Amino acid sequence: MLKLSQVSDAAVFLIEIMPVMFIPAGVGLLNAWGVLKPVWIPISVITVVTTVLVMAVTAKVTQTVIHNSKRRKEKAEQETVR
């Protein structure tokens, strides 16, 4: 298992240069605008819908995992008392 101190410097560096990493993708989109122009609305709608769907599913799975871990903890405590 990695310790925070082992990856801290690398993480800070990557976060600092993150905006620079998006420049090539942005330039690529600008260069391909002629091809993307007719389909940008469907692509935008699909992107928004799938983003919301992924967020909702992630939230539900997280809630279920938290609920199940609480139930297991309570069950273990009840068995310990017996």
Side-chain angles (χ1 to χ4, degrees):
M1 187 162 178
L2 294 174
K3 295 181 181 178
L4 179 61
S5 61
Q6 293 174 308
V7 296
S8 177
D9 291 338
V12 169
F13 171 73
L14 290 172
I15 289 172
E16 287 177 354
I17 67 163
M18 190 180 299
V20 175
M21 304 304 250
F22 287 100
I23 291 173
V27 171
L29 288 173
L30 291 175
N31 285 338
W33 180 245
V35 175
L36 294 174
K37 189 175 181 181
V39 294
W40 78 270
I41 292 176
I43 289 174
S44 298
V45 170
I46 291 168
T47 301
V48 170
V49 169
T50 56
T51 299
V52 171
L53 182 64
V54 167
M55 290 171 61
V57 169
T58 301
K60 187 62 178 169
V61 168
T62 302
Q63 288 176 340
T64 303
V65 168
I66 290 171
H67 178 72
N68 287 343
S69 67
K70 285 181 181 179
R71 281 188 16 206
R72 287 181 184 164
K73 184 178 178 182
E74 290 172 359
K75 186 176 178 181
E77 288 174 357
Q78 289 175 356
E79 290 177 0
T80 305
V81 174
R82 292 180 190 179

